[in-house]
Amino acid sequence: MRVSFSSSFRVPFWYVLQPFSDATIMQYVLLIIGAVLVNNFVLTRFLGICPFLGVSKDIPTAGGMGLAVLFVMTCASAVTWLLRATVLEPLGLQYLQTIAFILVIATFVQFVEIALRKSAPALHKALGIYLPLITTNCAVLGVAVLNVQKKFSFFQSVTFGFGAALGFALALLIFAGMRERIERAHPPDAFRGVAIALVTAGLLSLAFMGFAGLVKM
Amino acid sequence: MRAMFRNRGGVHPAYRKWGTAGAPIEALPLPKTLSISLAQHIGVPSKPIAQKGQKVHAGERIAEPGGYVSSAVHAPASGVVKAIEERPAVNGKYALTVVIETDGAMEDHRPDEADWTRLHPKEMVDRVAQAGVIGMGGAGFPTHVKLTPPPGKTIDTLILNGAECEPYLTADHRLMVEDAARVWEGACILRKILGASHLRVAIEDNKPDAIRAMEAAMKGADDGVALVILKTEYPQGAEKQLIYSVLGRQVPSGGLPMDVGALVENVATAVAVREAVVAQRPLLRRVTTVTGPGIRRPRNVLAPVGTPLQDLVDFCGGLTEDTVKIVVGGPMMGVAVATLEAGTAKTTSGLLALTRRVVPQYQSMPCIGCGRCVGACPMGLMPCTLSEHLEAEDYEAAEELNVLDCIECGCCAYECPAARPLVQHMKQGKARVATLRRQRESQAVK
Amino acid sequence: MGLWIPILVIGGTGIVCGAVLAAASRFFAVHEDPRLEALAELLPGINCGACGFAGCSEYARAMLEKGIPVNLCKPGGHETVSRVASFLGVEAVAGERQVALVLCKGDDAAASRSTLYNGLADCAAAELAGGGGKDCRFGCLGLGTCARVCPVGAIEITAGRLAVVHPELCIGCRQCVAACPRRLIKMAPESSLIHVLCNSHDRGPLVRKVCRVGCIACTVCVKLVNEKGIRMKNNLAVVDYEVPLDNDEVVSRCPQHTIERRRLKKTVEV
C-alpha cells in the first residue's frame, strides 16, 4: 500500500513533544487575549450566534453553556489537530476534514450531554435542545478549521480553542446579565423580547470593536 | 458635644418646622367620643376587658396585653363604652377599637408619690408595663419589653432621641423646650432601669432652644452623661442611624440595637415613663403636631389618645379648600388616611394636611438607573434593583439583597427622578419575604 | 484502493468515537424509571403547582417514587386523574371540578371609592397601604393581582375594576385564592348554581353605606331555603356547596341582588 506524505505540512506530529520551543509563553497569552477580546468568536466573527441568543436568558444557564462549550472546544481542537496531523495529512485526505471534525465534535458533545445528565440534571434540563446543538455550533468547527488555516502547532491550537471558548463564555455571560436586567426593565412593546435582545447584541458587538488593534494576530 | 460620625446616605428635605416650632403646646378640650384602637403597638393586639355599655373612669384599664409583646390600654377620660368593634385605625388598617362616649371629666390628677431613686428597677419596669407605655417615636414597640433585655445582653449606653428629623413635626421639640425637667427625669429613670453607664441626649442642631432647655435641665449631671448635637439630616432619628451618629456603632443586618450595647428611647416615651414610675399615671395623652399647608392654624396639641382626627383638625381651624391628602405622622414615613373618623394612637406624633400644591400627582415611570436612591439609602441598599426584582415578583433575589433591612424611611422615593413608588415596593416586598421566610421555617420544622 | 482509504479512515474514526461514547454512557448511566416520562406526558404540563409540587414532572416523580395520591392534579380534572390512575393501575376517585369564584359584585358602579389611591397597581400593596381607596374593606380592589397569577388567563378585570373569573377557562389551580390579599376568591363545585357574591362581614347599615350590591344580612334567603344550602355566618349569607341548591326565588327575592344564578360548567361545544 502506497501512502503519499504531503509536503505542504512540514511540522511532524511528534512536535507535540516539544512544547514552547519556538513560542514564548507571552505568545500564548496574546493568543488567548486575541481570541477572547479582539477576535471574539461571537461578537467579532459572528460564529455561534444560535446558543448566544438561545441560552442567554439567565446567568446560571449561560454559565453552564459556557463551561460545556469550553470543554468541547478545547478537547475538539486538540483531537482534530491530532487527527489531521496523524491521519488526514499523511494520507492526503484533507478533503475529508469537515466530516472527520464533525464526527469528533459530535462525540464530545454527546459525552458532555451524558455526563451532564448524570451530574447536573437541572442544568441539563435548562440547556435543553441547545446542548446537542453545540455539535452544529459553527464556533466549534470554526476553531478547528481556523487552527488548520493558521497552521497552528498543537499547543497553539489547544490554546486558541481554549481562548475562543473563553471568549464565547464571556460574551454569553455578559449578554445574559444584560438580558436579565432588560427582562425587568420596561422596553416599549414593539421592542420586547427578541427584538431588544438583538439590538443589545448589536450594541455589545459594537462595544467589542473597541478592542480592535489590541493584539496583532 | 458635636456628633462625630456621619451616616451614609440620607437626604435634606425642606423642614418646614417654622409653622409650629414656636407654638406652645395647647391642651385640646375633651372630645365627645374617643375611639381607642387596640392595635396601636407592634406585637399582639390587646384584649378588651371593658364591656359594651360599661361606665369607665379616666385611667381605668380597658384592655389587657394580648401576649408578651403587647401593651395595656387605658381609658383616657371617663365615660361610657359605646362600642367595641372593628374600625379603621390611623394606619389605615381595621382593628378592634373601643369607642368611649366621654362625660366631660378628664383624667384624675394623681400626685407624684414615689421617690424613684428608691425603687427597684424591676418594680419600675412593672409600673411602665402597667401604664401601657409604648415607644412614642412612631414604631410603638412596648417599652417594658425593650427595657427587659434577654439575659446575656448588656446595655451600656442609653440614647435619648430628641432628633425629630421628620419635616413638619415639632411635638418632641416643644416637649423638650417646655418640659425639659420631666424629660430629663424620665431619661434618668430609664438609665437606672437599664443600669446603663452612659446616657446621651441627641438633638439636631435645628432646635437650638431645645438644646438650651435640655442643657439647663441636665446641669450638674455626672460624667456618664452628655448632650450630643447632631447635624440636621433625615433620617437621623431612626434608631440604627442615631446609634451610628452618636456612638459610631453599626447595628448588624437583622440585629437589634442591644447587639451593640445601645438602646434608644424617644423623649416623649421618657416623659411617659416618668409619669408611670413616679405617679403610676397610665399613658393617656400625647403631644401631636397638627400642621401642613392645609391646616388653617397649625398647632402643637396635647390630646387624649383616641381623639378623632376630625376633632384635631377642627381645633386647629379646619382644613383649607385645596387639601387633598391627610397624612398621619411625618411627610416621609407617615401614612395617608382615608377617613378622619379614626382616633389618634399613642404613636401619632403628627397630623399633616397637604394641599394640591405640595402633592403633585406623579406618574411613575421606569427606572432610569441613575442610582440616586442608592446614594440616598441610609441602610446601604439598592432600592432601584430591589424594586425591579419586586416588580418581577422575584422575592428570593430581593431577600438576597437584604430587603428586610429597609427601614422605610422614604429617602429613595424622595430622591427618585422617575417618581417610582419605591417605598411601597419595599413595604410589600418586606411583607412577602417575611411570609416566605416563615413558610420556609415552618417547613423546616416539619 | 483509492476509495477504500477514506472509507476506512472515516469508518475507523467513527468506531473509535462510538466506543468512547459507549464507555461513557455506561460510566455515566442514569437509572430513570421509564414510566416517568410517560406519566409526565399524561399530566397537563402547565406546571401550575396546585398539586403542591414544583411542576408536573415533579408530581409525576412523587407519584412514582413516594406513592403520592393520584388525584391531586386540579387542572386536569376527572379525565387526567382517571388516565393517570389506569396508567399506574390504582383506583382513584376524582373530586368534582372546582371553579374559582370572586365573592364580590361591587364594581365601581355599585361600590364607592371615596379616596384616590395613587400607588402600586397591586392588590397586596394597596391592602398594606390602607385599602386602595375602596370603601368596603372586604370588597374586590380590582388591581388584578389574581389575574396576573392565573396561569390560563381566566380572570378578567372589568372596566368597573372588579375581578371576574370565567368559569369555562378556570382550571381550579387555586393560585388566585392564595394571591388575593382579601381572601375573597373561593372554590365552588361546577355543579353549583346559586352563589352569594359578597364577602362582607360588616353589619347591614355599614354595607349599605359603601355598596349597593353587598349582603346586608337580612336573612331572607336563609329563611327561604330553611337554612338548607345557605346559612348566616357573622353577618354574611354563605352558600354551603355540600348541599345542592337550585332555587330561583332566592335570587329574585334578594333585596341587594347579591345572590346570582351562575352556571359554572363548561358549555358543551356542538
Side-chain angles (χ1 to χ4, degrees):
Chain A
M1 186 173 78
R2 265 190 60 187
V3 178
S4 62
F5 284 87
S6 162
S7 57
S8 68
F9 199 80
R10 294 236 170 71
V11 185
F13 72 87
W14 52 86
Y15 182 83
V16 170
L17 304 172
Q18 319 165 265
F20 310 124
S21 57
D22 63 343
T24 63
I25 291 176
M26 194 57 204
Q27 271 175 312
Y28 284 102
V29 170
L30 287 182
L31 203 57
I32 288 183
I33 291 177
V36 171
L37 297 177
V38 185
N39 289 313
N40 187 293
F41 261 67
V42 180
L43 299 171
T44 312
R45 291 189 205 267
F46 305 118
L47 296 171
I49 297 293
C50 163
F52 178 66
L53 292 172
V55 283
S56 55
K57 286 229 173 65
D58 62 315
I59 291 176
T61 319
M65 186 68 177
L67 283 179
V69 170
L70 191 72
F71 173 77
V72 171
M73 258 194 195
T74 315
C75 297
S77 48
V79 174
T80 51
W81 192 93
L82 286 176
L83 188 68
R84 186 175 161 104
T86 57
V87 181
L88 300 182
E89 287 282 353
L91 295 175
L93 294 175
Q94 286 94 335
Y95 61 89
L96 283 178
Q97 174 178 298
T98 312
I99 301 174
F101 284 8
I102 285 289
L103 206 58
V104 171
I105 293 167
T107 309
F108 279 112
V109 171
Q110 276 307 307
F111 180 83
V112 169
E113 172 155 24
I114 292 167
L116 265 190
R117 213 165 89 171
K118 172 83 176 176
S119 55
L123 182 63
H124 181 261
K125 212 171 165 195
L127 289 173
I129 185 68
Y130 291 101
L131 191 54
L133 271 183
I134 299 176
T135 312
T136 53
N137 185 342
C138 45
V140 185
L141 186 64
V143 168
V145 172
L146 273 174
N147 284 337
V148 175
Q149 271 177 12
K150 293 188 178 235
K151 300 197 170 56
F152 277 151
S153 70
F154 176 76
F155 275 93
Q156 275 174 328
S157 294
V158 174
T159 313
F160 187 65
F162 181 74
L166 266 190
F168 179 82
L170 177 76
L172 202 58
L173 280 175
I174 293 178
F175 193 53
M178 288 163 85
R179 275 185 88 171
E180 267 194 359
R181 298 206 60 173
I182 290 169
E183 266 312 91
R184 298 195 303 264
H186 302 273
D189 279 348
F191 281 101
R192 219 156 266 180
V194 185
I196 192 76
L198 287 171
V199 172
T200 318
L203 291 174
L204 191 59
S205 172
L206 276 177
F208 264 68
M209 285 183 77
F211 290 116
L214 186 68
V215 179
K216 198 159 173 9
M217 290 272 294
Chain B
M1 71 184 189
R2 287 238 157 216
M4 285 189 290
F5 303 93
R6 279 266 347 245
N7 269 295
R8 133 174 73 199
V11 292
H12 298 272
Y15 285 96
R16 298 178 202 272
K17 297 194 186 232
W18 37 261
T20 49
I25 299 170
E26 291 167 77
L28 180 84
L30 187 64
K32 286 212 171 61
T33 56
L34 297 172
S35 46
I36 304 128
S37 160
L38 298 184
Q40 307 185 12
H41 51 269
I42 287 182
V44 195
S46 314
K47 275 204 302 265
I49 48 173
Q51 304 293 319
K52 194 176 163 182
Q54 184 187 332
K55 194 158 166 26
V56 292
H57 60 261
E60 185 178 334
R61 209 176 242 234
I62 52 174
E64 298 264 295
Y68 179 64
V69 183
S70 187
S71 168
V73 180
H74 304 77
S78 66
V80 180
V81 177
K82 221 173 69 182
I84 301 174
E85 60 185 17
E86 296 218 323
R87 292 215 177 173
V90 277
N91 59 4
K93 294 188 185 99
Y94 276 75
L96 207 56
T97 303
V98 178
V99 183
I100 297 177
E101 206 166 56
T102 59
D103 56 11
M106 204 62 167
E107 68 206 73
D108 57 340
H109 288 280
R110 262 185 258 186
D112 292 1
E113 41 153 63
D115 179 7
W116 61 269
T117 48
R118 300 230 185 108
L119 288 174
H120 190 267
K122 272 226 174 85
E123 162 79 16
M124 291 198 273
V125 172
D126 195 46
R127 284 182 177 204
V128 169
Q130 291 295 323
V133 180
I134 61 175
M136 289 162 80
F141 192 80
T143 304
H144 64 279
V145 181
K146 210 163 153 183
L147 292 177
T148 21
K153 299 268 183 204
T154 50
I155 286 155
D156 58 68
T157 310
L158 168 71
I159 300 173
L160 189 66
N161 185 355
E164 200 164 51
C165 55
E166 274 266 7
Y168 284 111
L169 303 189
T170 55
D172 291 353
H173 178 181
R174 290 311 303 179
L175 197 66
M176 286 187 285
V177 171
E178 296 180 27
D179 222 351
R182 285 203 298 169
V183 172
W184 174 240
E185 204 179 344
C188 293
I189 293 172
L190 284 166
R191 184 185 176 200
K192 191 185 169 195
I193 292 175
L194 292 166
S197 51
H198 297 279
L199 168 58
R200 297 276 178 271
V201 179
I203 307 175
E204 283 193 341
D205 60 5
N206 60 355
K207 296 181 257 299
D209 48 346
I211 294 171
R212 273 198 303 278
M214 285 308 292
E215 251 169 2
M218 288 160 65
K219 205 157 264 172
D222 61 275
D223 281 352
V225 176
L227 188 121
V228 182
I229 300 164
L230 309 162
K231 213 162 152 33
T232 304
E233 186 182 50
Y234 181 84
Q236 194 145 234
E239 203 171 48
K240 288 168 189 174
Q241 277 62 35
L242 192 68
I243 291 172
Y244 187 77
S245 292
V246 173
L247 302 173
R249 300 181 196 164
Q250 211 156 35
V251 180
S253 169
L256 290 169
M258 65 173 89
D259 293 336
V260 293
L263 196 123
V264 180
E265 288 289 357
N266 178 267
V267 287
T269 319
V271 174
V273 165
R274 183 219 171 256
E275 300 294 287
V277 170
V278 173
Q280 299 202 32
R281 253 176 240 147
L283 174 49
L284 304 180
R285 301 189 293 176
R286 74 153 295 144
V287 182
T288 301
T289 307
V290 185
T291 182
I295 295 283
R296 287 188 204 273
R297 280 202 305 281
R299 283 170 165 181
N300 293 304
V301 185
L302 180 66
V305 172
T307 303
L309 301 181
Q310 186 68 54
D311 286 61
L312 280 180
V313 169
D314 291 343
F315 182 65
C316 298
L319 299 172
T320 58
E321 247 85 87
D322 54 347
T323 302
V324 290
K325 195 177 194 176
I326 307 280
V327 175
V328 169
M332 300 294 280
M333 286 189 73
V335 180
V337 288
T339 163
L340 287 175
E341 281 166 36
T344 56
K346 294 170 184 175
T347 50
T348 308
S349 49
L351 177 70
L352 295 183
L354 303 174
T355 54
R356 191 164 294 287
R357 195 174 58 78
V358 293
V359 190
Q361 293 291 307
Y362 288 118
Q363 193 63 46
S364 161
M365 279 175 286
C367 174
I368 57 171
C370 68
R372 274 161 72 170
C373 52
V374 181
C377 181
M379 297 305 289
L381 305 178
M382 297 194 289
C384 48
T385 317
L386 272 169
S387 81
E388 279 176 352
H389 280 313
L390 294 170
E391 222 163 44
E393 306 197 348
D394 189 351
Y395 296 107
E396 272 154 35
E399 190 180 1
E400 233 164 74
L401 289 173
N402 294 321
V403 69
L404 290 179
D405 278 353
C406 171
I407 57 169
E408 299 168 21
C409 65
C411 290
C412 48
Y414 176 83
E415 283 284 336
C416 183
R420 286 170 67 74
L422 294 168
V423 184
Q424 211 188 353
H425 272 303
M426 300 294 158
K427 277 190 183 176
Q428 196 211 349
K430 277 169 76 176
R432 282 301 295 270
V433 169
T435 332
L436 288 178
R437 204 174 253 197
R438 270 200 301 279
Q439 279 172 4
R440 262 207 314 265
E441 271 158 19
S442 67
Q443 262 171 9
V445 169
K446 269 183 211 162
Chain C
M1 197 60 194
L3 192 61
W4 285 111
I5 294 173
I7 291 176
L8 281 176
V9 166
I10 294 297
T13 318
I15 287 170
V16 172
C17 291
V20 168
L21 280 184
S25 68
R26 173 152 300 186
F27 188 69
F28 289 113
V30 181
H31 295 290
E32 203 159 64
D33 199 325
R35 292 181 302 165
L36 184 64
E37 208 167 315
L39 188 57
E41 283 287 299
L42 290 179
L43 294 168
I46 50 171
N47 298 325
C48 70
C51 50
F53 295 93
C56 292
S57 57
E58 281 304 305
Y59 177 45
R61 187 189 302 275
M63 279 194 282
L64 275 177
E65 289 169 7
K66 295 179 194 155
I68 300 290
V70 295
N71 58 356
L72 296 181
C73 182
K74 274 138 200 150
H78 185 70
E79 285 168 41
T80 302
V81 173
S82 57
R83 262 187 294 161
V84 169
S86 65
F87 180 85
L88 289 174
V90 291
E91 287 274 324
V93 190
E96 200 187 345
R97 188 172 87 100
Q98 303 273 315
V99 172
L101 197 64
V102 180
L103 296 188
C104 182
K105 260 185 98 175
D107 56 7
D108 281 357
S112 61
R113 286 178 191 255
S114 65
T115 44
L116 175 76
Y117 172 72
N118 190 29
L120 277 180
D122 179 273
C123 300
E127 180 71 1
L128 278 178
K134 192 132 182 169
D135 291 340
C136 174
R137 63 175 167 133
F138 297 98
C140 175
L141 295 170
L143 293 169
T145 298
C146 51
R148 278 195 292 278
V149 298
C150 181
V152 291
I155 304 182
E156 181 196 345
I157 305 296
T158 63
R161 288 189 277 181
L162 181 74
V164 177
V165 181
H166 289 263
E168 69 277 11
L169 297 176
C170 178
I171 55 171
C173 70
R174 291 170 168 76
Q175 300 259 325
C176 51
V177 176
C180 179
R182 297 199 149 178
R183 300 264 170 274
L184 52 78
I185 304 183
K186 296 269 149 62
M187 302 307 291
E190 67 169 345
S191 63
S192 58
L193 291 165
I194 307 293
H195 312 283
V196 179
L197 296 178
C198 183
N199 194 40
S200 171
H201 291 285
D202 268 336
R203 284 179 293 117
L206 287 177
V207 173
R208 209 169 270 179
K209 223 193 272 177
V210 296
C211 184
R212 278 200 291 111
V213 292
C215 174
I216 52 169
C218 64
T219 69
V220 165
C221 52
V222 177
K223 282 171 195 149
L224 268 175
V225 299
N226 223 350
E227 299 221 2
K228 286 197 185 80
I230 307 181
R231 265 180 290 175
M232 291 310 291
K233 240 185 227 168
N234 193 10
N235 288 326
L236 177 67
V238 179
V239 178
D240 180 6
Y241 288 115
E242 305 272 292
V243 183
L245 179 70
D246 187 5
N247 186 338
D248 279 331
E249 211 181 338
V250 182
V251 179
S252 56
R253 292 273 298 276
C254 177
Q256 293 282 95
H257 307 291
T258 315
I259 305 182
E260 235 180 55
R261 184 191 176 85
R262 203 180 270 183
R263 245 179 87 87
L264 302 180
K265 277 200 175 124
K266 284 182 187 167
T267 38
V268 185
E269 280 173 41
V270 185

Short mmCIF file of all heavy atoms in Angstrom, two decimals, chain B residues 12 18 29 84 163 171 183 213 218 235 377:
data_model
loop_
_atom_site.label_atom_id
_atom_site.label_comp_id
_atom_site.label_asym_id
_atom_site.label_seq_id
_atom_site.Cartn_x
_atom_site.Cartn_y
_atom_site.Cartn_z
N HIS B 12 -31.90 65.81 52.61
CA HIS B 12 -32.17 67.07 53.31
C HIS B 12 -33.44 67.69 52.76
O HIS B 12 -33.38 68.59 51.94
CB HIS B 12 -30.99 68.02 53.16
CG HIS B 12 -29.74 67.48 53.75
ND1 HIS B 12 -29.40 67.66 55.06
CD2 HIS B 12 -28.77 66.72 53.22
CE1 HIS B 12 -28.26 67.03 55.31
NE2 HIS B 12 -27.86 66.46 54.20
N TRP B 18 -41.16 75.80 60.84
CA TRP B 18 -41.42 77.13 61.39
C TRP B 18 -42.87 77.32 61.78
O TRP B 18 -43.19 78.11 62.66
CB TRP B 18 -40.98 78.21 60.40
CG TRP B 18 -41.22 77.86 58.96
CD1 TRP B 18 -40.31 77.38 58.09
CD2 TRP B 18 -42.44 77.94 58.25
NE1 TRP B 18 -40.87 77.14 56.87
CE2 TRP B 18 -42.18 77.48 56.93
CE3 TRP B 18 -43.75 78.35 58.57
CZ2 TRP B 18 -43.17 77.41 55.95
CZ3 TRP B 18 -44.72 78.27 57.58
CH2 TRP B 18 -44.43 77.81 56.31
N PRO B 29 -59.65 70.58 74.24
CA PRO B 29 -60.82 70.29 75.08
C PRO B 29 -61.26 68.84 74.83
O PRO B 29 -61.13 68.36 73.71
CB PRO B 29 -61.87 71.28 74.58
CG PRO B 29 -61.20 72.19 73.64
CD PRO B 29 -59.89 71.63 73.27
N ILE B 84 -67.45 48.17 70.98
CA ILE B 84 -66.15 47.53 70.81
C ILE B 84 -66.24 46.79 69.49
O ILE B 84 -66.86 45.74 69.39
CB ILE B 84 -65.83 46.57 71.96
CG1 ILE B 84 -65.85 47.32 73.30
CG2 ILE B 84 -64.48 45.92 71.75
CD1 ILE B 84 -65.68 46.43 74.49
N ALA B 163 -34.01 63.84 68.22
CA ALA B 163 -33.57 64.29 66.90
C ALA B 163 -34.73 64.90 66.12
O ALA B 163 -34.60 65.96 65.51
CB ALA B 163 -32.97 63.12 66.12
N ALA B 171 -43.48 68.12 67.77
CA ALA B 171 -44.03 67.67 69.05
C ALA B 171 -42.93 67.42 70.07
O ALA B 171 -42.98 67.91 71.20
CB ALA B 171 -44.87 66.42 68.82
N VAL B 183 -38.59 65.48 80.99
CA VAL B 183 -37.87 64.66 80.00
C VAL B 183 -36.59 64.13 80.63
O VAL B 183 -36.26 62.93 80.54
CB VAL B 183 -37.54 65.49 78.74
CG1 VAL B 183 -36.63 64.70 77.81
CG2 VAL B 183 -38.80 65.89 78.01
N ALA B 213 -32.64 74.32 76.55
CA ALA B 213 -33.52 73.88 77.63
C ALA B 213 -33.00 72.58 78.24
O ALA B 213 -32.96 72.42 79.48
CB ALA B 213 -34.94 73.69 77.11
N MET B 218 -30.08 69.48 82.46
CA MET B 218 -29.07 68.46 82.74
C MET B 218 -27.93 68.98 83.61
O MET B 218 -26.97 68.25 83.87
CB MET B 218 -28.47 67.95 81.41
CG MET B 218 -29.42 67.09 80.61
SD MET B 218 -28.91 67.00 78.90
CE MET B 218 -27.37 66.16 79.02
N PRO B 235 -32.58 60.44 57.61
CA PRO B 235 -33.37 60.03 58.77
C PRO B 235 -32.51 59.80 60.01
O PRO B 235 -32.34 58.68 60.43
CB PRO B 235 -33.95 58.72 58.30
CG PRO B 235 -32.88 58.13 57.43
CD PRO B 235 -32.06 59.27 56.92
N CYS B 377 -29.92 55.94 50.24
CA CYS B 377 -30.36 54.93 51.21
C CYS B 377 -29.45 54.89 52.43
O CYS B 377 -28.26 54.61 52.31
CB CYS B 377 -30.42 53.55 50.57
SG CYS B 377 -31.00 52.31 51.73
#
